[in-house]
Amino acid sequence: MKMGIVQRLCSSWSNVFRLGNRNSYSSFNKSVDPTNPSCSSSSFLTHGIHVFQCPDAVGIVANLSDCIASRGGNILSADVFVPQNKRVFYSRNVFVFDPVMWPRMQMEEDFLRISKTFNAMRSVIRVPALDPKYKIAILVAKQDGRLSVDITCVISNHYRSPENEVIRFLDMHGVPYHYLRTTAENKREEEILELVQNTDFLVLARSMRILSSFFLRSYGKDIINIHHGLLPSFSGSNPSKQAVDAGVKLIGATSHFVTEGLDAGPIIEQMVERVSHRDNLQSYVQKSENLEKQCLTSAIRSYCELRVLPYEKKNTVVF
């Protein structure tokens, strides 16, 4: 059976919560794969992730490293970014530790102390093996795509019959599907807010809806969107055909945070792929959809692994 976006969304969070394989780590990298449990010398060790943002100052890295080492932890990888001519410090540390020697609450207190010392704007800890999984809701349109994440509910303005393969797949995994018919006059946003109130963030999976300022302010959490790279040159109901007719040779996809500006939020991930005169409309659309799925998957994985930090008003740091 061909698997669509909500089907693969239901499959597993495992790839999202597992620390992603990277081709290279930065300065403090050890020759160890943090996705592999065998990299730990003891079965009691588990992985932690800490991201930090504060005004730049002397001694930040030393304090963070000493905090982890003093509790018996060992840094596997560390990323640091200090923008040129900007007194802002960003870091992301991945480390192993023994939760018996360093209880979760003690870890919070230790990093909080450093946060106060350096007046941090952001200090976030995640221990994937111990912390609750992220709860998300997916807003989708009629088109199906593919994405490997687990979801708590699917909301769509497209009706699907009980015999539809997507509905049957969702039923099998216990994921509710909410059909909300919307109009220009009634976007049903209050009902959507009720359905997603207990989620950690939202994903717009090829959803055509434009969320209002009221919705964004009321929800108050991050929303991740995906769109093709044909805008603004090719807009309307059939941008792919327009692009094929125009002989476009490069297609792309962009995943970004949703803001009040249409498709203007800070970018998390972008991908491109070449097309040629050998592509017809069908192969072109297939390549474009696959690219969007890969791009959205990568963006969600980066977000859940605490790789994404806000940088100024319209930018992001993605470690």
Side-chain angles (χ1 to χ4, degrees):
M1 180 175 68
K2 180 180 178 181
M3 295 183 67
I5 191 165
V6 286
Q7 294 164 305
R8 291 203 176 183
L9 282 171
C10 292
S11 59
S12 173
W13 262 120
S14 59
N15 290 332
V16 176
F17 284 105
R18 191 177 299 142
L19 300 176
N21 289 322
R22 315 297 282 187
N23 292 329
S24 62
Y25 292 99
S26 55
S27 54
F28 298 143
N29 176 42
K30 305 293 179 68
S31 58
V32 64
D33 177 4
T35 70
N36 186 352
S38 65
C39 71
S40 302
S41 59
S42 167
S43 60
F44 294 101
L45 297 183
T46 190
H47 292 90
I49 310 170
H50 178 248
V51 295
F52 199 64
Q53 177 186 353
C54 68
D56 192 26
V58 175
I60 304 172
V61 172
N63 274 263
L64 291 172
S65 301
D66 183 65
C67 175
I68 296 171
S70 66
R71 297 293 185 180
N74 185 32
I75 295 177
L76 300 181
S77 70
D79 286 289
V80 171
F81 174 61
V82 179
Q84 188 174 9
N85 301 323
K86 305 281 185 181
R87 295 200 43 150
V88 185
F89 174 93
Y90 299 87
S91 73
R92 177 180 183 271
N93 287 313
V94 178
F95 54 93
V96 290
F97 70 101
D98 187 337
V100 175
M101 294 178 57
W102 197 9
R104 189 67 173 80
M105 292 302 297
Q106 183 64 55
M107 181 182 295
E108 293 280 354
E109 294 176 10
D110 291 345
F111 282 118
L112 178 60
R113 184 175 62 254
I114 298 177
S115 298
K116 292 179 178 178
T117 300
F118 292 100
N119 298 313
M121 295 86 83
R122 180 180 299 262
S123 178
V124 183
I125 309 163
R126 184 151 188 86
V127 181
L130 303 178
D131 294 348
K133 291 183 177 182
Y134 287 108
K135 296 180 180 179
I136 72 167
I138 309 295
L139 277 67
V140 300
K142 180 176 180 179
Q143 299 97 329
D144 285 335
R146 298 173 178 83
L147 187 63
S148 297
V149 294
D150 192 15
I151 55 179
T152 58
C153 71
V154 174
I155 304 170
S156 177
N157 58 1
H158 175 67
Y159 174 75
R160 290 178 169 88
S161 69
E163 294 75 27
N164 180 275
E165 62 177 358
V166 171
I167 299 300
R168 288 190 280 111
F169 190 90
L170 291 175
D171 287 343
M172 184 172 61
H173 288 271
V175 178
Y177 180 88
H178 302 283
Y179 163 59
L180 297 179
R181 184 177 180 274
T182 60
T183 64
E185 295 75 25
N186 184 8
K187 296 183 178 181
R188 317 273 301 264
E189 289 191 335
E190 292 186 355
E191 294 170 74
I192 296 174
L193 285 168
E194 182 71 22
L195 292 171
V196 304
Q197 62 179 336
N198 295 321
T199 57
D200 296 303
F201 66 98
L202 299 183
V203 174
L204 305 185
R206 309 198 66 175
S207 173
M208 302 302 291
R209 73 180 72 240
I210 298 176
L211 300 176
S212 69
S213 300
F214 163 77
F215 184 96
L216 298 179
R217 288 193 299 267
S218 299
Y219 182 63
K221 303 172 189 176
D222 289 327
I223 304 174
I224 298 176
N225 189 25
I226 182 73
H227 65 78
H228 57 71
L230 301 178
L231 298 173
S233 299
F234 306 102
S235 58
S237 60
N238 199 341
S240 295
K241 186 177 186 307
Q242 298 176 51
V244 171
D245 292 342
V248 165
K249 297 298 187 287
L250 198 66
I251 58 174
T254 296
S255 185
H256 61 90
F257 289 114
V258 175
T259 60
E260 293 188 16
L262 180 61
D263 291 335
I267 294 171
I268 305 172
E269 180 66 271
Q270 288 182 303
M271 294 183 179
V272 296
E273 182 174 342
R274 297 199 67 83
V275 291
S276 73
H277 59 278
R278 299 181 185 279
D279 285 290
N280 56 28
L281 181 59
Q282 182 179 358
S283 65
Y284 184 98
V285 170
Q286 185 65 57
K287 288 182 178 181
S288 181
E289 290 182 354
N290 287 340
L291 202 61
E292 290 180 44
K293 299 157 196 170
Q294 295 170 31
C295 187
L296 183 57
T297 300
S298 179
I300 294 174
R301 181 179 294 113
S302 293
Y303 183 88
C304 292
E305 292 179 355
L306 304 186
R307 295 184 183 276
V308 185
L309 289 87
Y311 172 39
E312 298 184 331
K313 290 184 178 180
K314 297 183 178 181
N315 207 340
T316 55
V317 172
V318 183
F319 284 125

mmCIF file of all heavy atoms in Angstrom, residues 112-151:
data_model
loop_
_atom_site.group_PDB
_atom_site.id
_atom_site.type_symbol
_atom_site.label_atom_id
_atom_site.label_comp_id
_atom_site.label_asym_id
_atom_site.label_seq_id
_atom_site.Cartn_x
_atom_site.Cartn_y
_atom_site.Cartn_z
ATOM 1 N N LEU A 112 20.488 26.240 35.388
ATOM 2 C CA LEU A 112 19.822 27.487 35.760
ATOM 3 C C LEU A 112 20.813 28.442 36.427
ATOM 4 O O LEU A 112 20.771 29.665 36.190
ATOM 5 C CB LEU A 112 18.657 27.191 36.704
ATOM 6 C CG LEU A 112 17.889 28.411 37.231
ATOM 7 C CD1 LEU A 112 17.276 29.195 36.072
ATOM 8 C CD2 LEU A 112 16.810 27.987 38.221
ATOM 9 N N ARG A 113 21.686 27.904 37.234
ATOM 10 C CA ARG A 113 22.701 28.737 37.886
ATOM 11 C C ARG A 113 23.595 29.420 36.853
ATOM 12 O O ARG A 113 23.904 30.617 36.950
ATOM 13 C CB ARG A 113 23.546 27.882 38.829
ATOM 14 C CG ARG A 113 24.570 28.677 39.638
ATOM 15 C CD ARG A 113 25.293 27.820 40.647
ATOM 16 N NE ARG A 113 26.063 26.754 40.011
ATOM 17 C CZ ARG A 113 25.703 25.487 40.011
ATOM 18 N NH1 ARG A 113 24.588 25.097 40.591
ATOM 19 N NH2 ARG A 113 26.459 24.573 39.415
ATOM 20 N N ILE A 114 23.988 28.669 35.815
ATOM 21 C CA ILE A 114 24.809 29.259 34.752
ATOM 22 C C ILE A 114 24.001 30.291 33.975
ATOM 23 O O ILE A 114 24.526 31.349 33.586
ATOM 24 C CB ILE A 114 25.333 28.152 33.813
ATOM 25 C CG1 ILE A 114 26.236 27.183 34.580
ATOM 26 C CG2 ILE A 114 26.098 28.761 32.636
ATOM 27 C CD1 ILE A 114 26.742 26.024 33.745
ATOM 28 N N SER A 115 22.730 30.018 33.765
ATOM 29 C CA SER A 115 21.862 30.962 33.059
ATOM 30 C C SER A 115 21.810 32.296 33.775
ATOM 31 O O SER A 115 21.877 33.364 33.154
ATOM 32 C CB SER A 115 20.446 30.388 32.923
ATOM 33 O OG SER A 115 20.448 29.212 32.165
ATOM 34 N N LYS A 116 21.685 32.250 35.093
ATOM 35 C CA LYS A 116 21.641 33.486 35.874
ATOM 36 C C LYS A 116 22.987 34.204 35.838
ATOM 37 O O LYS A 116 23.040 35.436 35.776
ATOM 38 C CB LYS A 116 21.243 33.173 37.315
ATOM 39 C CG LYS A 116 19.808 32.681 37.454
ATOM 40 C CD LYS A 116 19.470 32.370 38.900
ATOM 41 C CE LYS A 116 18.013 31.933 39.049
ATOM 42 N NZ LYS A 116 17.683 31.587 40.454
ATOM 43 N N THR A 117 24.070 33.445 35.852
ATOM 44 C CA THR A 117 25.407 34.053 35.824
ATOM 45 C C THR A 117 25.627 34.859 34.558
ATOM 46 O O THR A 117 26.206 35.950 34.588
ATOM 47 C CB THR A 117 26.488 32.965 35.936
ATOM 48 O OG1 THR A 117 26.331 32.256 37.177
ATOM 49 C CG2 THR A 117 27.895 33.571 35.860
ATOM 50 N N PHE A 118 25.145 34.326 33.427
ATOM 51 C CA PHE A 118 25.401 34.967 32.134
ATOM 52 C C PHE A 118 24.157 35.655 31.553
ATOM 53 O O PHE A 118 24.160 36.025 30.381
ATOM 54 C CB PHE A 118 25.948 33.936 31.147
ATOM 55 C CG PHE A 118 27.325 33.437 31.491
ATOM 56 C CD1 PHE A 118 27.495 32.214 32.118
ATOM 57 C CD2 PHE A 118 28.445 34.203 31.225
ATOM 58 C CE1 PHE A 118 28.761 31.746 32.445
ATOM 59 C CE2 PHE A 118 29.715 33.747 31.547
ATOM 60 C CZ PHE A 118 29.881 32.518 32.159
ATOM 61 N N ASN A 119 23.111 35.833 32.366
ATOM 62 C CA ASN A 119 21.890 36.502 31.911
ATOM 63 C C ASN A 119 21.360 35.888 30.608
ATOM 64 O O ASN A 119 21.088 36.597 29.629
ATOM 65 C CB ASN A 119 22.136 38.001 31.714
ATOM 66 C CG ASN A 119 22.530 38.701 32.995
ATOM 67 O OD1 ASN A 119 21.885 38.505 34.035
ATOM 68 N ND2 ASN A 119 23.590 39.504 32.945
ATOM 69 N N ALA A 120 21.229 34.578 30.598
ATOM 70 C CA ALA A 120 20.834 33.863 29.379
ATOM 71 C C ALA A 120 19.417 34.202 28.950
ATOM 72 O O ALA A 120 18.509 34.347 29.773
ATOM 73 C CB ALA A 120 20.968 32.359 29.591
ATOM 74 N N MET A 121 19.260 34.335 27.640
ATOM 75 C CA MET A 121 17.919 34.501 27.071
ATOM 76 C C MET A 121 17.258 33.147 26.826
ATOM 77 O O MET A 121 16.036 33.049 26.737
ATOM 78 C CB MET A 121 17.987 35.260 25.738
ATOM 79 C CG MET A 121 18.483 36.706 25.863
ATOM 80 S SD MET A 121 20.278 36.852 25.827
ATOM 81 C CE MET A 121 20.566 36.843 24.053
ATOM 82 N N ARG A 122 18.074 32.104 26.692
ATOM 83 C CA ARG A 122 17.538 30.768 26.405
ATOM 84 C C ARG A 122 18.484 29.720 26.968
ATOM 85 O O ARG A 122 19.688 29.760 26.744
ATOM 86 C CB ARG A 122 17.380 30.579 24.901
ATOM 87 C CG ARG A 122 16.823 29.214 24.473
ATOM 88 C CD ARG A 122 16.711 29.135 22.959
ATOM 89 N NE ARG A 122 15.819 30.138 22.451
ATOM 90 C CZ ARG A 122 14.542 29.940 22.125
ATOM 91 N NH1 ARG A 122 14.024 28.732 22.237
ATOM 92 N NH2 ARG A 122 13.804 30.908 21.649
ATOM 93 N N SER A 123 17.906 28.782 27.702
ATOM 94 C CA SER A 123 18.655 27.633 28.208
ATOM 95 C C SER A 123 17.677 26.470 28.259
ATOM 96 O O SER A 123 16.787 26.438 29.109
ATOM 97 C CB SER A 123 19.234 27.917 29.599
ATOM 98 O OG SER A 123 19.915 26.774 30.091
ATOM 99 N N VAL A 124 17.833 25.524 27.346
ATOM 100 C CA VAL A 124 16.875 24.425 27.209
ATOM 101 C C VAL A 124 17.614 23.100 27.304
ATOM 102 O O VAL A 124 18.649 22.904 26.649
ATOM 103 C CB VAL A 124 16.115 24.504 25.872
ATOM 104 C CG1 VAL A 124 15.072 23.387 25.794
ATOM 105 C CG2 VAL A 124 15.456 25.867 25.702
ATOM 106 N N ILE A 125 17.080 22.206 28.104
ATOM 107 C CA ILE A 125 17.652 20.873 28.278
ATOM 108 C C ILE A 125 16.652 19.849 27.773
ATOM 109 O O ILE A 125 15.451 19.979 27.996
ATOM 110 C CB ILE A 125 17.951 20.575 29.762
ATOM 111 C CG1 ILE A 125 18.764 21.700 30.397
ATOM 112 C CG2 ILE A 125 18.673 19.234 29.908
ATOM 113 C CD1 ILE A 125 18.726 21.662 31.904
ATOM 114 N N ARG A 126 17.175 18.841 27.108
ATOM 115 C CA ARG A 126 16.312 17.721 26.706
ATOM 116 C C ARG A 126 17.069 16.416 26.889
ATOM 117 O O ARG A 126 18.216 16.285 26.448
ATOM 118 C CB ARG A 126 15.846 17.865 25.270
ATOM 119 C CG ARG A 126 14.886 16.757 24.876
ATOM 120 C CD ARG A 126 13.905 17.174 23.812
ATOM 121 N NE ARG A 126 12.891 16.157 23.597
ATOM 122 C CZ ARG A 126 11.784 16.032 24.283
ATOM 123 N NH1 ARG A 126 11.512 16.878 25.249
ATOM 124 N NH2 ARG A 126 10.909 15.072 24.025
ATOM 125 N N VAL A 127 16.412 15.483 27.564
ATOM 126 C CA VAL A 127 16.947 14.127 27.736
ATOM 127 C C VAL A 127 15.945 13.204 27.054
ATOM 128 O O VAL A 127 14.926 12.824 27.646
ATOM 129 C CB VAL A 127 17.114 13.764 29.219
ATOM 130 C CG1 VAL A 127 17.708 12.351 29.357
ATOM 131 C CG2 VAL A 127 18.002 14.781 29.926
ATOM 132 N N PRO A 128 16.177 12.852 25.786
ATOM 133 C CA PRO A 128 15.178 12.107 25.015
ATOM 134 C C PRO A 128 14.690 10.826 25.665
ATOM 135 O O PRO A 128 13.515 10.476 25.530
ATOM 136 C CB PRO A 128 15.911 11.818 23.696
ATOM 137 C CG PRO A 128 16.902 12.933 23.577
ATOM 138 C CD PRO A 128 17.356 13.208 24.976
ATOM 139 N N ALA A 129 15.566 10.135 26.382
ATOM 140 C CA ALA A 129 15.170 8.854 26.982
ATOM 141 C C ALA A 129 14.296 9.040 28.218
ATOM 142 O O ALA A 129 13.596 8.116 28.626
ATOM 143 C CB ALA A 129 16.410 8.042 27.337
ATOM 144 N N LEU A 130 14.320 10.228 28.814
ATOM 145 C CA LEU A 130 13.594 10.454 30.059
ATOM 146 C C LEU A 130 12.436 11.437 29.912
ATOM 147 O O LEU A 130 11.434 11.328 30.622
ATOM 148 C CB LEU A 130 14.557 10.975 31.140
ATOM 149 C CG LEU A 130 15.772 10.109 31.481
ATOM 150 C CD1 LEU A 130 16.630 10.796 32.530
ATOM 151 C CD2 LEU A 130 15.339 8.731 31.958
ATOM 152 N N ASP A 131 12.569 12.393 29.033
ATOM 153 C CA ASP A 131 11.554 13.441 28.908
ATOM 154 C C ASP A 131 10.358 12.956 28.085
ATOM 155 O O ASP A 131 10.496 12.105 27.209
ATOM 156 C CB ASP A 131 12.155 14.680 28.242
ATOM 157 C CG ASP A 131 13.218 15.332 29.113
ATOM 158 O OD1 ASP A 131 13.324 14.956 30.300
ATOM 159 O OD2 ASP A 131 13.946 16.206 28.614
ATOM 160 N N PRO A 132 9.186 13.533 28.337
ATOM 161 C CA PRO A 132 8.009 13.171 27.528
ATOM 162 C C PRO A 132 8.233 13.519 26.060
ATOM 163 O O PRO A 132 8.905 14.498 25.738
ATOM 164 C CB PRO A 132 6.891 14.038 28.133
ATOM 165 C CG PRO A 132 7.376 14.410 29.489
ATOM 166 C CD PRO A 132 8.858 14.501 29.393
ATOM 167 N N LYS A 133 7.655 12.707 25.177
ATOM 168 C CA LYS A 133 7.765 12.994 23.753
ATOM 169 C C LYS A 133 6.968 14.249 23.411
ATOM 170 O O LYS A 133 5.982 14.579 24.068
ATOM 171 C CB LYS A 133 7.266 11.811 22.921
ATOM 172 C CG LYS A 133 8.159 10.592 23.003
ATOM 173 C CD LYS A 133 7.642 9.483 22.092
ATOM 174 C CE LYS A 133 8.563 8.274 22.115
ATOM 175 N NZ LYS A 133 8.108 7.207 21.202
ATOM 176 N N TYR A 134 7.399 14.925 22.360
ATOM 177 C CA TYR A 134 6.659 16.091 21.897
ATOM 178 C C TYR A 134 5.280 15.671 21.407
ATOM 179 O O TYR A 134 5.128 14.674 20.713
ATOM 180 C CB TYR A 134 7.405 16.769 20.744
ATOM 181 C CG TYR A 134 8.642 17.522 21.150
ATOM 182 C CD1 TYR A 134 9.907 17.048 20.843
ATOM 183 C CD2 TYR A 134 8.543 18.731 21.834
ATOM 184 C CE1 TYR A 134 11.042 17.741 21.201
ATOM 185 C CE2 TYR A 134 9.675 19.440 22.192
ATOM 186 C CZ TYR A 134 10.927 18.943 21.878
ATOM 187 O OH TYR A 134 12.048 19.633 22.230
ATOM 188 N N LYS A 135 4.288 16.454 21.749
ATOM 189 C CA LYS A 135 2.935 16.249 21.235
ATOM 190 C C LYS A 135 2.701 17.266 20.124
ATOM 191 O O LYS A 135 2.870 18.470 20.335
ATOM 192 C CB LYS A 135 1.902 16.443 22.346
ATOM 193 C CG LYS A 135 1.997 15.424 23.469
ATOM 194 C CD LYS A 135 0.944 15.698 24.531
ATOM 195 C CE LYS A 135 1.039 14.685 25.664
ATOM 196 N NZ LYS A 135 0.030 14.960 26.727
ATOM 197 N N ILE A 136 2.321 16.776 18.965
ATOM 198 C CA ILE A 136 2.085 17.681 17.846
ATOM 199 C C ILE A 136 0.769 17.346 17.167
ATOM 200 O O ILE A 136 0.234 16.245 17.315
ATOM 201 C CB ILE A 136 3.230 17.632 16.803
ATOM 202 C CG1 ILE A 136 3.190 16.317 16.017
ATOM 203 C CG2 ILE A 136 4.577 17.826 17.459
ATOM 204 C CD1 ILE A 136 4.079 16.331 14.795
ATOM 205 N N ALA A 137 0.257 18.327 16.458
ATOM 206 C CA ALA A 137 -0.909 18.116 15.590
ATOM 207 C C ALA A 137 -0.501 18.521 14.184
ATOM 208 O O ALA A 137 0.355 19.386 13.993
ATOM 209 C CB ALA A 137 -2.100 18.951 16.061
ATOM 210 N N ILE A 138 -1.118 17.866 13.203
ATOM 211 C CA ILE A 138 -0.796 18.126 11.806
ATOM 212 C C ILE A 138 -2.011 18.712 11.114
ATOM 213 O O ILE A 138 -3.105 18.145 11.170
ATOM 214 C CB ILE A 138 -0.378 16.832 11.077
ATOM 215 C CG1 ILE A 138 0.707 16.096 11.864
ATOM 216 C CG2 ILE A 138 0.110 17.141 9.670
ATOM 217 C CD1 ILE A 138 1.999 16.826 11.986
ATOM 218 N N LEU A 139 -1.818 19.855 10.459
ATOM 219 C CA LEU A 139 -2.862 20.427 9.631
ATOM 220 C C LEU A 139 -2.509 20.137 8.185
ATOM 221 O O LEU A 139 -1.439 20.524 7.706
ATOM 222 C CB LEU A 139 -2.970 21.941 9.850
ATOM 223 C CG LEU A 139 -3.804 22.398 11.066
ATOM 224 C CD1 LEU A 139 -3.130 21.995 12.366
ATOM 225 C CD2 LEU A 139 -4.015 23.904 11.034
ATOM 226 N N VAL A 140 -3.389 19.411 7.495
ATOM 227 C CA VAL A 140 -3.096 18.996 6.130
ATOM 228 C C VAL A 140 -4.213 19.428 5.198
ATOM 229 O O VAL A 140 -5.338 19.720 5.618
ATOM 230 C CB VAL A 140 -2.909 17.458 6.020
ATOM 231 C CG1 VAL A 140 -1.776 16.999 6.889
ATOM 232 C CG2 VAL A 140 -4.200 16.733 6.389
ATOM 233 N N ALA A 141 -3.888 19.452 3.916
ATOM 234 C CA ALA A 141 -4.885 19.724 2.886
ATOM 235 C C ALA A 141 -5.228 18.412 2.198
ATOM 236 O O ALA A 141 -5.041 17.336 2.745
ATOM 237 C CB ALA A 141 -4.353 20.752 1.890
ATOM 238 N N LYS A 142 -5.670 18.481 0.957
ATOM 239 C CA LYS A 142 -6.086 17.281 0.242
ATOM 240 C C LYS A 142 -4.902 16.427 -0.169
ATOM 241 O O LYS A 142 -4.942 15.210 -0.137
ATOM 242 C CB LYS A 142 -6.898 17.669 -0.997
ATOM 243 C CG LYS A 142 -7.386 16.483 -1.815
ATOM 244 C CD LYS A 142 -8.258 16.927 -2.969
ATOM 245 C CE LYS A 142 -8.749 15.742 -3.781
ATOM 246 N NZ LYS A 142 -9.615 16.156 -4.891
ATOM 247 N N GLN A 143 -3.789 17.088 -0.575
ATOM 248 C CA GLN A 143 -2.655 16.338 -1.095
ATOM 249 C C GLN A 143 -2.012 15.496 -0.004
ATOM 250 O O GLN A 143 -1.951 15.899 1.153
ATOM 251 C CB GLN A 143 -1.595 17.303 -1.661
ATOM 252 C CG GLN A 143 -2.102 18.142 -2.797
ATOM 253 C CD GLN A 143 -2.553 19.509 -2.312
ATOM 254 O OE1 GLN A 143 -3.007 19.672 -1.195
ATOM 255 N NE2 GLN A 143 -2.422 20.477 -3.184
ATOM 256 N N ASP A 144 -1.544 14.347 -0.372
ATOM 257 C CA ASP A 144 -0.814 13.489 0.550
ATOM 258 C C ASP A 144 0.669 13.601 0.256
ATOM 259 O O ASP A 144 1.086 13.706 -0.884
ATOM 260 C CB ASP A 144 -1.221 12.010 0.404
ATOM 261 C CG ASP A 144 -2.581 11.752 1.020
ATOM 262 O OD1 ASP A 144 -2.956 12.519 1.915
ATOM 263 O OD2 ASP A 144 -3.258 10.798 0.583
ATOM 264 N N GLY A 145 1.443 13.524 1.316
ATOM 265 C CA GLY A 145 2.886 13.519 1.181
ATOM 266 C C GLY A 145 3.443 12.419 2.046
ATOM 267 O O GLY A 145 2.726 11.517 2.420
ATOM 268 N N ARG A 146 4.712 12.484 2.403
ATOM 269 C CA ARG A 146 5.329 11.460 3.240
ATOM 270 C C ARG A 146 6.224 12.131 4.267
ATOM 271 O O ARG A 146 6.974 13.027 3.943
ATOM 272 C CB ARG A 146 6.157 10.491 2.391
ATOM 273 C CG ARG A 146 5.343 9.726 1.359
ATOM 274 C CD ARG A 146 6.250 8.925 0.451
ATOM 275 N NE ARG A 146 5.491 8.165 -0.511
ATOM 276 C CZ ARG A 146 5.038 8.644 -1.645
ATOM 277 N NH1 ARG A 146 5.261 9.916 -1.952
ATOM 278 N NH2 ARG A 146 4.363 7.889 -2.488
ATOM 279 N N LEU A 147 6.142 11.643 5.487
ATOM 280 C CA LEU A 147 6.961 12.198 6.557
ATOM 281 C C LEU A 147 7.022 11.199 7.692
ATOM 282 O O LEU A 147 6.004 10.606 8.042
ATOM 283 C CB LEU A 147 6.351 13.521 7.047
ATOM 284 C CG LEU A 147 7.168 14.315 8.050
ATOM 285 C CD1 LEU A 147 8.488 14.759 7.438
ATOM 286 C CD2 LEU A 147 6.377 15.531 8.507
ATOM 287 N N SER A 148 8.204 10.986 8.243
ATOM 288 C CA SER A 148 8.393 9.965 9.273
ATOM 289 C C SER A 148 8.351 10.572 10.668
ATOM 290 O O SER A 148 9.389 10.779 11.302
ATOM 291 C CB SER A 148 9.721 9.243 9.049
ATOM 292 O OG SER A 148 9.718 8.567 7.824
ATOM 293 N N VAL A 149 7.165 10.875 11.149
ATOM 294 C CA VAL A 149 6.993 11.306 12.528
ATOM 295 C C VAL A 149 5.697 10.730 13.067
ATOM 296 O O VAL A 149 4.854 10.251 12.314
ATOM 297 C CB VAL A 149 6.956 12.851 12.652
ATOM 298 C CG1 VAL A 149 8.277 13.475 12.279
ATOM 299 C CG2 VAL A 149 5.823 13.438 11.835
ATOM 300 N N ASP A 150 5.570 10.769 14.366
ATOM 301 C CA ASP A 150 4.341 10.330 15.011
ATOM 302 C C ASP A 150 3.506 11.566 15.298
ATOM 303 O O ASP A 150 4.044 12.640 15.544
ATOM 304 C CB ASP A 150 4.683 9.591 16.306
ATOM 305 C CG ASP A 150 3.494 8.854 16.865
ATOM 306 O OD1 ASP A 150 2.509 8.689 16.124
ATOM 307 O OD2 ASP A 150 3.553 8.460 18.035
ATOM 308 N N ILE A 151 2.185 11.432 15.289
ATOM 309 C CA ILE A 151 1.313 12.574 15.486
ATOM 310 C C ILE A 151 0.185 12.214 16.444
ATOM 311 O O ILE A 151 -0.149 11.049 16.616
ATOM 312 C CB ILE A 151 0.718 13.067 14.159
ATOM 313 C CG1 ILE A 151 0.017 11.921 13.443
ATOM 314 C CG2 ILE A 151 1.777 13.664 13.268
ATOM 315 C CD1 ILE A 151 -0.616 12.312 12.128
#
